Amino acid sequence: MSEKTHTRTQTSEQTTSNGETLRCPECDGNVVSDEGHGETVCADCGLVVSEDSVDRGPEWRAFNASEKDQKSRVGAPTTNTMHDKGLSTNIDWRNKDAYGNSLGSRQRQKMQRLRKWNERFRTRDSKERNLKQALGEIDRMASALGLPTNVRETASVIYRRALDENLLPGRSIEGVSTACVYAAARMAGVPRSLDEITDVSRVEKSEVARTYRYVVRELKLEVRPADPESYVPRFASSLELSEETERRARQLLKNAKEQGVHSGKSPVGLAAAAVYAAALLTNEKTTQAAVSEVADISEVTIRNRYHELLEAEEGLGVA
């Protein structure tokens, strides 16, 4: 066997239309296809039976799954953030052709009619109309809160489950959508406070809290209590505090956990107090009013948690 045959990697055995294996005309050995070189060769003697075969694969290379998805030319991947999972056609609202030229009046009327019928076909029943409205709300709130794509996907999946298990009767679409965003953010480790969620929602805080508890209970979602430390980077960034202050705030919260001070306390209040205390300890200028505005929590709560955090650190130091 020749040295050239040893170097072949991507090979497959060749067969005829009847399913019979092709044989080498010289040694009657098995004939295999070398896709890397575009040749058909004998696996035993190395004879090149045919060459310059047509490569029917893509002209690009991908070294992992993400590169393959990015370079694929079959359209965008499916997503749960759209009611039809992105499989339908969208007609652009701008009345321009492929070259950027404006359409004439007759063409504009035609495109308007096509858009109208396209929307009717995309939402064929009440369930799809419900899902379309809810997923639009989820996307709007996630954008306002600066939540990443994975949180939007998770919130959309939670809403789909709630819809499939018939949890919506008696509850508003906006309320369930908001509860799904709140749950998804906590599950992803990028929590937002209930007040922040309510600010971008179209329903009251009490309804959001009630619907959230109901959805989590019925769907048996595993939502852990929010960690106060997860709020620290956002608060510190909004107040333009240094990394040293952020590290000091995290240390204060770790000390509080060791002392058990965090039990039963609002994680947002603890995080805000830790940021305020760390700023004072590192000689950075900030006020309780500024922290209160960023964290959307009262100054009284910040003062109370502030003293508890310092006492916990002193107690740990004595121990």
Side-chain angles (χ1 to χ4, degrees), residues 41-288:
V41 299
C42 175
D44 296 330
C45 68
L47 174 70
V48 179
V49 179
S50 65
E51 58 183 348
D52 297 331
S53 59
V54 177
D55 184 6
R56 303 187 185 279
E59 74 277 14
W60 43 260
R61 293 187 300 169
F63 301 99
N64 53 47
S66 62
E67 284 190 12
K68 187 175 180 180
D69 289 339
Q70 289 174 358
K71 295 181 179 181
S72 176
R73 295 185 181 166
V74 295
T78 57
T79 172
N80 284 301
T81 58
M82 299 179 69
H83 74 282
D84 53 11
K85 297 191 176 182
L87 296 175
S88 63
T89 302
N90 289 320
I91 301 177
D92 195 7
W93 58 269
R94 290 170 294 190
N95 291 312
K96 293 186 178 181
D97 60 15
Y99 300 100
N101 301 320
S102 298
L103 300 177
S105 60
R106 292 178 62 86
Q107 285 293 325
R108 284 200 300 271
Q109 292 175 3
K110 180 180 179 181
M111 295 308 296
Q112 185 59 33
R113 287 197 301 272
L114 287 174
R115 288 191 198 97
K116 184 184 294 183
W117 281 105
N118 186 51
E119 286 300 313
R120 290 176 180 175
F121 286 128
R122 286 183 67 189
T123 52
R124 291 169 294 181
D125 52 31
S126 60
K127 184 177 179 180
E128 287 196 3
R129 285 194 295 272
N130 181 312
L131 197 56
K132 182 180 179 181
Q133 181 182 345
L135 297 182
E137 277 291 295
I138 288 173
D139 188 62
R140 181 189 65 79
M141 289 185 286
S143 297
L145 293 166
L147 296 173
T149 305
N150 64 312
V151 176
R152 304 181 193 202
E153 289 278 351
T154 304
S156 302
V157 171
I158 294 173
Y159 190 90
R160 287 176 184 273
R161 286 186 56 195
L163 187 62
D164 291 339
E165 298 190 20
N166 203 29
L167 302 183
L168 269 68
R171 290 168 179 81
S172 67
I173 295 175
E174 291 82 2
V176 179
S177 302
T178 308
C180 292
V181 171
Y182 185 42
R186 292 184 62 172
M187 292 171 69
V190 285
R192 297 293 185 267
S193 68
L194 195 56
D195 291 320
E196 289 178 292
I197 294 285
T198 306
D199 287 342
V200 301
S201 177
R202 293 192 171 104
V203 294
E204 298 294 328
K205 181 179 178 180
S206 57
E207 183 180 346
V208 175
R210 185 170 61 251
T211 308
Y212 165 75
R213 289 192 296 268
Y214 174 73
V215 169
V216 170
R217 183 178 67 251
E218 293 297 321
L219 296 181
K220 296 180 175 60
L221 301 178
E222 296 183 3
V223 183
R224 294 179 296 177
D227 187 353
E229 289 186 43
S230 60
Y231 292 96
V232 170
R234 189 155 50 89
F235 292 167
S237 176
S238 299
L239 293 165
E240 298 182 352
L241 300 174
S242 65
E243 292 185 9
E244 181 186 358
T245 301
E246 187 178 327
R247 285 196 299 270
R248 192 71 178 87
R250 289 178 181 274
Q251 188 59 48
L252 284 169
L253 290 172
K254 288 178 181 176
N255 294 339
K257 290 177 186 176
E258 291 182 20
Q259 293 289 308
V261 175
H262 70 295
S263 180
K265 304 292 193 310
S266 166
V268 180
L270 281 170
V275 169
Y276 175 67
L280 295 182
L281 293 172
T282 55
N283 296 319
E284 290 205 41
K285 292 182 180 180
T286 190
T287 62
Q288 290 181 9

